[in-house]
Amino acid sequence: MSDSIVLPELVLTGDFVVKAGWVLSPRTLNEYELIYFPNGTESVYEVGDNAYLLDRPGFVVTRPGIRHTCRFDPERSTRHLFVRFT
């Protein structure tokens, strides 16, 4: 009997501050991505036909194979931390 635990494999991590008005081009990842926004901003995360205003601290989880984009706050820089994993 095996009690082995399968842990996620980290692919990439980062802690970025992007300039006001920057737009992440639409993309599709092969991995999961967990993004933390420590401050509320006027940034908008878009996936499919849905758009989410990131106006308070929180997390975004993106599944593999899902096309998404982010339009960062037009007025101020936005910090976000992320981890991509399988």
Side-chain angles (χ1 to χ4, degrees), residues 6-82:
V6 178
L7 298 174
E9 179 181 333
L10 294 180
V11 175
L12 182 67
T13 63
D15 181 351
F16 291 166
V17 176
V18 296
K19 68 180 182 177
W22 191 73
V23 177
L24 174 69
S25 296
R27 65 184 186 159
T28 303
L29 300 175
N30 295 321
E31 307 86 23
Y32 289 90
E33 185 173 52
L34 173 65
I35 312 165
Y36 173 57
F37 291 88
N39 302 300
T41 69
E42 294 298 312
S43 298
V44 177
Y45 175 81
E46 298 177 0
V47 58
D49 293 332
N50 299 305
Y52 302 94
L53 180 62
L54 305 174
D55 60 348
R56 60 183 176 207
F59 292 91
V60 171
V61 179
T62 304
R63 297 184 322 262
I66 302 296
R67 188 173 171 87
H68 62 281
T69 186
C70 190
R71 291 181 286 117
F72 290 91
D73 190 311
E75 300 297 321
R76 62 182 179 152
S77 297
T78 302
R79 181 179 180 211
H80 67 288
L81 300 87
F82 67 91

